[in-house]
Amino acid sequence: MIEIYCTIEFKNACRIYNSACTTTTRCCLLHSVPRTSLIQSNQRVALPSVDVRGRIMRSGEADREMEMGSVVVEKVGGRSSVTSCFSRYPLKFVIPKKVGSSKTDAVWVYALNYGGGIVSARVGSNALLAIIPDPVTCFSTARYCQKQVFCVLPDSNLVMVDWITSGRHESGEKWDFDLYRSSNNIFLEDGQPLFLDTMLLDKEKIGCVQEHMHNYQVIAMIVLLGPKVQYVQNRVQDHVKEVMSEQLQHPSAAWSHQRDKADHFITKPSFIASCSAFGPKRIGLLVRVAAETTESVYKFLRHQLAPLEPMIGVPPYR
């Protein structure tokens, strides 16, 4: 398995949207649609200390020759600009000249890499970090692991989407991978845990994953944290409450019918969402989604995260 260790420090608003491309290693075959990165001024993006065999090296162990990549974005003439950019295989950065409205002071960075990995990010005061990827789609027999660790201040802002599809349906693969593990941890500046979450789907431990999913093909998690996204939090909570109340009170064609092992029909919504607040003074919101189609989750994300457009330049998942 190829792993990339990434440390990121953000002092202003930014968006990270790393990508995972198809690998050819037997133990980790992963496919995902390329994802984009947006970084605004005064941030540093560094992916140091990794070799192509997947051994994660300790910080400071390797010199510039072993560094996989770094991006520095600073204010130049009052605008956010890339002042330093370096990357090498298995990592590649692509920086377009313009994305979105010229009124948005932001730099976009497309980051391409292979496999899973570890991302560690510090979100500065009044900063916004938005991680808004396309879903991970694991091949049959794949083993995929990723871990994201965030350090935040009381006025930091974070939008993080983490989601997975059941596999390549055109190849007949549905929850056919061997292992999927995704951890997302948020810590306060003093090291106190604010949010700890791990999603683990292990065929060796739970058997056939598909049997536990009841025909749901997409699992998603959205984390919204901080004062800048308070409006988005309220919007999502109101929408989820309205949609789920309507579905439970008035079942419709949006519900699906499935036979269980006892040959009984099970009726259930094709789209399920829930919300729960976390942290001091309920500063964070956790949203979980299970759906039968990827398109329905894209639609949900596009609609609910639309208010981010003024901050990141374009509407998410447009």
Side-chain angles (χ1 to χ4, degrees):
M1 179 182 295
I2 299 176
E3 294 181 329
I4 291 181
Y5 178 82
C6 174
T7 59
I8 312 169
E9 180 178 355
F10 302 103
K11 299 179 181 178
N12 216 329
C14 63
R15 180 187 185 217
I16 282 293
Y17 202 159
N18 289 329
S19 74
C21 303
T22 304
T23 69
T24 56
T25 50
R26 183 177 178 276
C27 63
C28 181
L29 298 178
L30 167 72
H31 170 74
S32 180
V33 179
R35 314 166 188 178
T36 31
S37 302
L38 160 67
I39 304 171
Q40 291 186 358
S41 62
N42 300 326
Q43 291 102 38
R44 292 179 178 271
V45 178
L47 290 90
S49 309
V50 63
D51 63 24
V52 297
R53 293 169 296 179
R55 180 173 66 91
I56 298 178
M57 305 175 69
R58 293 186 299 273
S59 178
E61 180 181 346
D63 56 15
R64 178 72 176 183
E65 293 300 317
M66 291 300 297
E67 188 177 22
M68 288 296 101
S70 66
V71 174
V72 179
V73 179
E74 299 175 304
K75 286 282 189 181
V76 178
R79 298 287 296 178
S80 299
S81 303
V82 176
T83 58
S84 174
C85 181
F86 160 77
S87 64
R88 65 172 61 185
Y89 181 85
L91 176 68
K92 182 178 181 180
F93 291 128
V94 179
I95 305 176
K97 291 185 178 180
K98 180 183 177 182
V99 176
S101 171
S102 59
K103 296 180 181 179
T104 304
D105 182 21
V107 173
W108 286 69
V109 180
Y110 292 79
L112 310 177
N113 62 67
Y114 287 78
I118 301 175
V119 175
S120 178
R122 182 181 183 276
V123 187
S125 178
N126 200 37
L128 168 65
L129 168 61
I131 302 179
I132 313 176
D134 288 320
V136 170
T137 298
C138 292
F139 293 179
S140 175
T141 72
R143 299 181 63 84
Y144 176 80
C145 300
Q146 71 173 25
K147 183 177 182 180
Q148 299 183 116
V149 181
F150 307 95
C151 179
V152 299
L153 300 174
D155 60 349
S156 296
N157 303 274
L158 175 66
V159 177
M160 189 271 293
V161 178
D162 186 17
W163 54 320
I164 178 176
T165 71
S166 59
R168 302 176 302 174
H169 295 185
E170 69 279 3
S171 301
E173 298 173 354
K174 293 184 178 181
W175 305 112
D176 200 27
F177 48 83
D178 289 345
L179 173 70
Y180 173 85
R181 179 168 64 242
S182 179
S183 297
N184 295 282
N185 301 329
I186 305 175
F187 295 90
L188 298 174
E189 187 180 25
D190 59 3
Q192 290 296 314
L194 178 63
F195 176 84
L196 304 175
D197 182 88
T198 296
M199 179 178 179
L200 175 62
L201 299 174
D202 189 343
K203 182 183 292 186
E204 183 177 342
K205 293 182 178 180
I206 67 174
C208 180
V209 177
Q210 184 175 357
E211 291 183 1
H212 296 273
M213 290 302 176
H214 299 288
N215 209 39
Y216 288 111
Q217 306 301 323
V218 185
I219 303 295
M221 180 181 75
I222 304 100
V223 173
L224 301 165
L225 173 69
K228 284 188 176 182
V229 295
Q230 184 63 53
Y231 171 75
V232 183
Q233 293 184 26
N234 296 337
R235 173 191 175 99
V236 173
Q237 289 188 86
D238 291 343
H239 177 77
V240 168
K241 182 179 180 180
E242 179 182 351
V243 169
M244 296 311 300
S245 297
E246 178 67 21
Q247 286 199 20
L248 294 175
Q249 292 177 10
H250 305 286
S252 65
W255 287 52
S256 63
H257 307 276
Q258 180 185 5
R259 289 181 181 271
D260 61 13
K261 290 184 177 180
D263 203 31
H264 297 145
F265 278 103
I266 301 174
T267 303
K268 57 184 178 56
S270 59
F271 183 95
I272 298 177
S274 66
C275 295
S276 57
F278 67 88
K281 299 180 181 179
R282 302 168 69 89
I283 60 173
L285 181 70
L286 170 65
V287 185
R288 295 193 186 276
V289 174
E292 294 186 350
T293 66
T294 306
E295 291 75 15
S296 63
V297 182
Y298 267 115
K299 182 179 179 180
F300 176 83
L301 293 172
R302 182 167 59 248
H303 178 68
Q304 300 307 315
L305 301 182
L308 294 177
E309 180 179 0
M311 292 179 274
I312 67 175
V314 296
Y317 301 105
R318 60 179 180 180

